[in-house]
Amino acid sequence: AQSVAQPEDQVNVAEGNPLTVKCTYSVSGNPYLFWYVQYPNRGLQFLLKYITGDNLVKGSYGFEAEFNKSQTSFHLKKPSALVSDSALYFCAVRDMSENSGGYQKVTFGTGTKLQVIP
Amino acid sequence: DGGITQSPKYLFRKEGQNVTLSCEQNLNHDAMYWYRQDPGQGLRLIYYSQIVNDFQKGDIAEGYSVSREKKESFPLTVTSAQKNPTAFYLCASSARNNRARGTEAFFGQGTRLTVV
């Protein structure tokens, strides 16, 4: 069975400082990994994904994430946080060994609330 | 603009009533999904559909029903059998093609359902 963990319910960071939102995963095969952001009372917006290739993935709004196979992690990062980055962030995983199907095979984490302090 | 539209944004239901949440997409996606979001629990899959006239139960289907008569539409009915329906409901769609199984999902803006 696959799983994903976001160990921090909330992360606080000062505006202008680098931010990291942590994600670890467990799959039997190789993973597809995703990050989404959710603003209050809104749907999820896709930020970035890891499928294969370069371990450093760049996404929307200046976010990036580093895939680390040995540590089974996919932490979300940004060099300089903005107040407007304050939102709920979700990590998601799918086992690449699944040969068919779509998002019914994706497992979402419980979310990390990011608070950027002016 | 391409995207997913959910309506209404807010919905109030009396106990014992059925209510239907609308979800429409113009992304030409084959697959559509309904999720329920509760604080601290992430997203839980209610139902999904990979093709017109076919749908499957997700992890928490009890008390819910769906239909998929058109590719663009995937309405969710919350029935009176759902014991705790107050939640934020999210509709999503994705490409179904196996070669694109790493594709991202596109989400609607959500419907907040409250039982009064």
Side-chain angles (χ1 to χ4, degrees):
Chain A
Q2 64 189 31
S3 66
V4 60
Q6 294 182 241
E8 301 155 317
D9 290 336
Q10 181 158 337
V11 170
N12 296 322
V13 63
E15 186 177 23
N17 281 4
L19 69 87
T20 299
V21 182
K22 296 179 180 178
C23 172
T24 58
Y25 67 89
S26 174
V27 296
S28 56
N30 291 315
Y32 291 120
L33 291 155
F34 306 86
W35 274 104
Y36 289 86
V37 60
Q38 184 181 34
Y39 297 98
N41 292 311
R42 306 294 293 273
L44 275 66
Q45 295 178 32
F46 170 74
L47 280 178
L48 52 80
K49 65 184 176 184
Y50 172 81
I51 304 299
T52 187
D54 195 349
N55 289 343
L56 184 63
V57 179
K58 293 189 182 296
S60 306
Y61 313 119
F63 284 94
E64 59 188 28
E66 186 166 11
F67 171 65
N68 187 317
K69 188 171 184 177
S70 63
Q71 297 185 7
T72 62
S73 67
F74 190 56
H75 301 332
L76 182 70
K77 300 181 179 184
K78 188 173 183 181
S80 178
L82 301 173
V83 172
S84 58
D85 292 330
S86 298
L88 187 60
Y89 290 81
F90 288 95
C91 182
V93 67
R94 175 185 163 153
D95 194 327
M96 201 183 290
S97 64
E98 294 281 352
N99 291 323
S100 64
Y103 259 67
Q104 71 274 20
K105 302 290 180 67
V106 172
T107 299
F108 287 85
T110 53
T112 298
K113 183 178 180 181
L114 174 67
Q115 190 76 34
V116 181
I117 303 162
Chain B
D1 288 335
I4 299 183
T5 302
Q6 288 186 242
S7 62
K9 189 173 176 66
Y10 298 96
L11 186 57
F12 297 90
R13 190 195 92 171
K14 294 182 180 179
E15 296 222 15
Q17 274 185 337
N18 294 353
V19 290
T20 298
L21 283 58
S22 171
C23 178
E24 303 276 335
Q25 56 101 357
N26 60 5
L27 300 167
N28 200 33
H29 284 162
D30 287 308
M32 296 186 74
Y33 313 86
W34 274 104
Y35 292 93
R36 172 177 170 144
Q37 185 178 15
D38 296 283
Q41 294 195 44
L43 274 65
R44 292 185 290 169
L45 183 66
I46 304 172
Y47 267 97
Y48 65 96
S49 168
Q50 290 190 279
I51 198 167
V52 175
N53 292 323
D54 182 67
F55 49 84
Q56 304 295 328
K57 292 181 179 180
D59 302 318
I60 56 164
E62 186 176 352
Y64 300 97
S65 66
V66 293
S67 63
R68 187 85 187 277
E69 297 176 1
K70 300 185 299 181
K71 186 175 185 178
E72 301 80 14
S73 179
F74 191 41
L76 173 74
T77 296
V78 184
T79 75
S80 57
Q82 170 49 236
K83 300 301 182 191
N84 183 23
T86 295
F88 192 54
Y89 290 87
L90 289 164
C91 180
S93 71
S94 73
R96 186 178 71 90
N97 191 319
N98 289 343
R99 290 172 291 178
R101 59 186 181 273
T103 188
E104 60 271 24
F106 292 79
F107 285 81
Q109 296 301 295
T111 293
R112 186 165 297 281
L113 174 63
T114 304
V115 174
V116 296

